[in-house]
Structures are given as structure tokens and as C-alpha cells.
Amino acid sequence: MAIYGYRCAQCADIEVAFPIGTAPATVSCPECGTTATRVFTPPMLSRTPAALSAAMQRAERSAHEPEVVTSLPPRRRAPARVATHPATRRLPRP
């Protein structure tokens, strides 16, 4: 069921539910009984953040075409930390 908007000239805007594709051009207003004409509005779309959209597309793609890993990723070495406190200067470093 889809919700369609109609505008009555004497009352206010009304919303009526019909099966998709079967909404008539006019309906009678439930308050005053006059004819209300159908109002076309844009669908309720929201802008999805780019990172979320990419994650959703990747998840959808992996359901049908999983990525195959043939090797381990290269190991990254952590940067060496230099001791600044005088008491720790003589300790061995990696």
C-alpha cells in the first residue's frame, strides 16, 4: 500500500492509502465531501554519506562475488619511539 496526497480546496491536505498504481485522480474529502485532487510530491529520498554508501555497495557486491585473498598483506613496521625521559635513555631499543 502506498500513501497518496490529495488537496481539498476548502479544507486541508489529506493522505489516502491505495495499492500501488491504483490511485484515482480525485477522491471525495472525508470532512466536507467535495472533490480533492491528487498532489504529486517527490519521493522521500535522503542523501546517504559517501562512506556508508560505499560500505553498503561493497557488502552487497561481496554477497554475490566475494573477494578472494591469495596472500597476506605486507607487514608494516611501527616507527621507533625515542625515549625522552633521562631515566629511560639507557634502556635497549628495538
Side-chain angles (χ1 to χ4, degrees):
M1 295 290 262
I3 297 176
Y4 296 94
Y6 290 89
R7 180 168 292 139
C8 176
Q10 297 174 359
C11 299
D13 293 345
I14 57 174
E15 293 180 342
V16 183
F18 288 108
I20 294 177
T22 61
T26 60
V27 294
S28 62
C29 177
E31 293 182 20
C32 64
T34 60
T35 50
T37 58
R38 185 170 171 195
V39 178
F40 292 94
T41 58
M44 295 183 136
L45 301 175
S46 63
R47 185 148 183 124
T48 307
L52 178 61
S53 176
M56 289 170 49
Q57 289 175 356
R58 193 169 40 252
E60 183 179 336
R61 214 175 27 245
S62 70
H64 303 290
E65 302 169 7
E67 294 179 11
V68 178
V69 178
T70 58
S71 64
L72 293 175
R75 188 173 181 174
R76 289 187 253 171
R77 298 190 93 176
R81 295 185 191 181
V82 178
T84 56
H85 193 273
T88 59
R89 284 188 188 156
R90 291 182 285 155
L91 293 174
R93 292 193 173 87

